[in-house]
Amino acid sequence: MGLPEDEQRELDDIEHRLAEDDPTFAAKLATTPPLYRQLTPRVLRLISLLLIYVVGLVVVITGVSLSSIVVIALGAAVAAFGPTVTVVQAWRARGNDESSG
C-alpha cells in the first residue's frame, strides 16, 4: 500500500531539500543499513535466548493463574530447554570455529 500522490511529493521535496542543505548527511542516510543488518550473530543469539526465556516465564505465569499443572510444566520446559539449546548451539559453533581455524 503506497502513499497518496501529494504525500509522496512532499516526501520527495523534503528529501531533495535535505540533499541540497546537507549532502553528506543525506548520503549517509541513503547508505545506512537497517538495524537488523548491523547486529552480529552473537547479539541475535542473545536476543533469541532472552525472548525464549521470557516466553517460557509468561507461560508459567499463565499456568499459575489458570491453576494448570500442564501449562506450568510446558512453560518451565520452554524456559529451561529453549535457552539451553541456544547455549549448546553457540558452544558447538564456537568449538567448530576454533578447530577449523
Side-chain angles (χ1 to χ4, degrees):
M1 186 165 104
L3 293 173
E5 283 185 40
D6 57 332
E7 290 180 3
Q8 185 63 49
R9 278 194 302 268
E10 288 178 30
L11 285 175
D12 291 340
D13 186 43
I14 292 170
E15 180 182 1
H16 180 70
R17 283 185 283 162
L18 174 65
E20 287 177 350
D21 291 345
D22 194 351
T24 55
F25 181 65
K28 186 176 180 179
L29 287 178
T31 59
T32 302
L35 178 63
Y36 68 89
R37 290 186 185 166
Q38 296 174 355
L39 297 176
T40 63
R42 184 176 179 177
V43 171
L44 290 174
R45 261 193 309 265
L46 178 63
I47 291 171
S48 67
L49 175 105
L50 291 174
L51 285 175
I52 292 169
Y53 186 70
V54 168
V55 166
L57 290 179
V58 168
V59 173
V60 167
I61 292 169
T62 303
V64 168
S65 67
L66 296 174
S67 299
S68 173
I69 299 293
V70 174
V71 176
I72 294 171
L74 178 67
V78 169
F81 186 68
T84 302
V85 169
T86 305
V87 168
V88 169
Q89 286 176 346
W91 180 67
R92 285 183 179 169
R94 184 175 178 187
N96 290 339
D97 291 343
E98 289 176 357
S99 65
S100 64

